[in-house]
Amino acid sequence: MTSYIMAIDQGTTSTRAILFDKASNIVGVAQKELENYYPYPGWVEQNANDIWASTIGVMFEVLAKTGVKDTQIAAIGITNQRETTVVWDKESGQPIYFAIVWQSRQSDTYCQKLKKEGLEEMIREKTGLLLDPYFSASKIRWILDHVEGAQERAEKGELLFGTMDTWLLWKLTKGAKHISDVSNASRTMLMNLKTLQYDDELLRLWNIPRCMLPEIRDSSEVYGVTSGVFDHPVPIAALIGDQQAALFGQTCFDAGNVKNTYGTGCFLLMNTKERPIHSAHGLVSCVGWRIKGETDYVLEGSVFVAGAAIQWLRDGLKILHSSTESEQRALQVADSDGVYVVPSFTGLGAPYWKPQVKGGMFGLTRGTTQEHIIRATLESLAYQTNDVLQAMKQDSGLDIAQMQVDGGASRNDYLLQFQSDITDTCIVRSTISETTALGAAYLSGLAMGFWKSKEEIRSQFQVSRRFTPQMDAQQRAACLHGWNKAIHAILDF
């Protein structure tokens, strides 16, 4: 009987279950949208029980759609939105508060306090991360402070913490397994990047009891089997954060391999193999994955607004009917006519980390049209990506021969050609766009012998299209000069 790998891709906006066959083909997909709650400005929360219900729902839906039986699932791999934090009662399995989403800023006061105490550099040295509410530690602290009796109960061992990988594994195994993998643990701000274990000094600093934390394990191994889900117990054999999963799904297995995901924002990751790099240029270091005790580290840079800028053209300015129309409209003009858009609607991410700055539009004339603004907005995604890519080159000292891309905006040929031109780098778009789920499937399959090696996996990678630089050096320099002027203008403003 043919067997398949099921990937659970638990994201910020939806949960999906995807079945892959041995040739890396997608056999079936089921998806359920999730509701986000915004109780106060800057707060973002989700109902962890809804996430669990959506996971069970899509698992059964994809089997019903495809006619695949539970006995045909060789293993399940889980990839997840990172940093999102849930604390639950060990006995009842009920969360004591909503899950606090990675985007939420409600715990920023804790981070500001530690910055004032001069602890930012120590935290960065131990974890590779910037002191920011983005990461899980301050979110745990917030829940323990704001739910009555939570700190005392946590110290008694009555409460458990998890990111979404841990929460789903615990639920799928009926509470038998409380585990996270190194990639997710490295985003909590509680794990030491050198020892790959929770750090006593950091636990004391945040006053978080060790007993509520999940055990840290490899990203590819059998953690346990499903209980009370299917008639037949299915091994759960991969846990990995979503951006690291996409890097693995893109087969970026060597030092200097880079992928960029064009989503709401952009997430660039570079594999630095066994070498964690402490960035001098606004990037963060974390774990990519660990397989059979062998760790690959990554450098990561986040662009806050990418695809969201195209949505702004559609929903805010209303000069697009659909996001897909942006390419055709941009090609109606020969160039952006000196117009630059800096879409820092929620501040600037890497390599600047200026969360307070606003967006800007520069170089307007009486002859500026909607098409010039659309084209300049598309180009802003490439410019922001280039800023991160250059920081990666400086931090790593590694040459970047090509960048592999995925995400919604990677379907835009004009954007990818301009990206290639402005970075002077080959851009590779893969045939399979679901690289996040594919990465989780690969790691799960490796643990089960479904795929024998990374070399076998790499042999299955299919290129949809390569984009190579067409722009001459003089024009590239002029474009980048204009972009840098625009960046400095919004920083001054």
Side-chain angles (χ1 to χ4, degrees), residues 6-160:
M6 179 185 285
I8 296 169
D9 183 356
Q10 202 300 294
T12 315
T13 56
S14 71
T15 305
R16 295 184 304 161
I18 303 181
L19 288 176
F20 292 93
D21 67 15
K22 203 162 168 42
S24 305
N25 297 312
I26 292 174
V27 176
V29 182
Q31 180 168 344
K32 178 83 168 68
E33 299 296 318
L34 293 169
E35 188 169 358
N36 284 283
Y37 301 93
Y38 308 94
Y40 298 100
W43 293 31
V44 191
E45 297 177 350
Q46 290 179 331
N47 186 325
N49 282 330
D50 286 352
I51 290 172
W52 164 237
S54 72
T55 303
I56 286 294
V58 294
M59 288 168 73
F60 279 100
E61 185 184 336
V62 78
L63 294 181
K65 273 183 174 179
T66 57
V68 171
K69 297 177 173 58
D70 57 15
T71 51
Q72 293 176 267
I73 305 171
I76 294 169
I78 298 172
T79 182
N80 56 290
Q81 53 169 319
R82 305 172 303 172
E83 302 95 18
T84 295
T85 295
V86 62
V87 175
W88 67 94
D89 183 293
K90 190 176 180 178
E91 287 302 313
S92 71
Q94 286 302 308
I96 65 165
Y97 188 80
F98 270 28
I100 302 181
V101 177
W102 59 273
Q103 297 158 309
S104 189
R105 311 296 293 178
Q106 69 207 68
S107 57
D108 188 40
T109 50
Y110 298 101
C111 298
Q112 295 306 324
K113 179 176 177 287
L114 294 179
K115 280 181 187 178
K116 284 177 185 166
E117 291 172 10
L119 293 164
E120 186 168 20
E121 190 49 45
M122 180 273 283
I123 290 171
R124 188 163 188 184
E125 182 63 31
K126 282 178 178 284
T127 66
L129 306 176
L130 298 164
L131 181 50
D132 193 89
Y134 186 177
F135 305 105
S136 307
S138 65
K139 300 179 192 298
I140 303 171
R141 185 66 262 144
W142 192 97
I143 292 172
L144 293 180
D145 278 349
H146 288 80
V147 176
E148 190 177 348
Q151 180 70 30
E152 187 183 348
R153 294 187 64 208
E155 288 171 5
K156 287 180 180 174
E158 295 174 10
L159 300 181
L160 299 176

Side-chain angles (χ1 to χ4, degrees), residues 358-370:
K358 304 291 192 289
M361 195 184 301
F362 304 94
L364 303 181
T365 68
R366 184 64 185 81
T368 300
T369 65
Q370 290 184 359

Side-chain angles (χ1 to χ4, degrees), residues 16 48 77 91 103 129 140 144 149 192 208 246 272 285 295 298 342-343 345 378 380 389 401 412 417 424 478:
R16 295 184 304 161
E91 287 302 313
Q103 297 158 309
L129 306 176
I140 303 171
L144 293 180
N192 188 306
I208 292 172
T272 63
S285 286
T295 306
V298 295
V342 185
F345 306 138
L378 273 177
S380 76
L389 206 62
N412 188 309
Q417 184 56 58
D424 196 23

Side-chain angles (χ1 to χ4, degrees), residues 197-437:
Q197 295 297 328
Y198 299 117
D199 187 277
D200 287 332
E201 188 177 2
L202 293 172
L203 293 178
R204 281 195 300 273
L205 185 68
W206 293 105
N207 192 20
I208 292 172
R210 182 182 283 270
C211 58
M212 71 184 298
L213 303 179
E215 181 187 353
I216 300 172
R217 299 266 282 271
D218 281 9
S219 313
S220 173
E221 62 172 280
V222 178
Y223 312 103
V225 296
T226 58
S227 176
V229 179
F230 304 118
D231 295 336
H232 171 80
V234 179
I236 301 158
L239 301 173
I240 187 166
D242 54 7
Q243 299 308 322
Q244 291 97 322
L247 190 72
F248 200 89
Q250 288 274 20
T251 67
C252 292
F253 302 148
D254 300 324
N257 286 174
V258 176
K259 75 89 192 174
N260 187 23
T261 298
Y262 298 89
T264 303
C266 277
F267 293 91
L268 277 80
L269 271 70
M270 171 192 271
N271 190 334
T272 63
K273 294 300 286 180
E274 69 283 348
R275 182 167 67 116
I277 295 171
H278 285 279
S279 174
H281 300 91
L283 307 180
V284 300
S285 286
C286 54
V287 175
W289 50 78
R290 189 173 68 190
I291 302 170
K292 293 180 179 173
E294 192 174 299
T295 306
D296 281 27
Y297 291 90
V298 295
L299 263 179
E300 178 173 329
S302 304
V303 172
F304 293 159
V305 174
I310 311 303
Q311 293 169 339
W312 167 70
L313 295 178
R314 183 193 67 196
D315 304 334
L317 297 189
K318 300 190 187 305
I319 60 175
L320 286 175
H321 295 297
S322 68
S323 299
T324 52
E325 185 195 350
S326 61
E327 180 176 10
Q328 172 252 320
R329 292 283 298 281
L331 291 171
Q332 288 176 14
V333 288
D335 54 39
S336 61
D337 196 29
V339 176
Y340 287 87
V341 174
V342 185
S344 44
F345 306 138
T346 53
L348 278 175
Y352 304 99
W353 289 102
K354 298 288 184 184
Q356 284 78 36
V357 302
K358 304 291 192 289
M361 195 184 301
F362 304 94
L364 303 181
T365 68
R366 184 64 185 81
T368 300
T369 65
Q370 290 184 359
E371 284 70 28
H372 291 121
I373 293 169
I374 292 165
R375 187 162 175 141
T377 304
L378 273 177
E379 290 174 354
S380 76
L381 276 63
Y383 284 125
Q384 291 179 99
T385 296
N386 182 62
D387 288 344
V388 176
L389 206 62
Q390 297 312 315
M392 283 182 166
K393 285 182 179 179
Q394 289 174 284
D395 277 334
S396 68
L398 295 169
D399 184 42
I400 299 172
Q402 66 179 37
M403 181 168 69
Q404 293 176 216
V405 298
D406 52 60
S410 70
R411 293 189 286 270
N412 188 309
D413 288 357
Y414 171 70
L415 169 61
L416 295 193
Q417 184 56 58
F418 189 77
Q419 186 73 80
S420 177
D421 288 339
I422 217 68
T423 54
D424 196 23
T425 302
C426 177
I427 305 297
V428 178
R429 179 170 62 200
S430 66
T431 303
I432 294 179
S433 59
E434 302 291 354
T435 53
T436 302

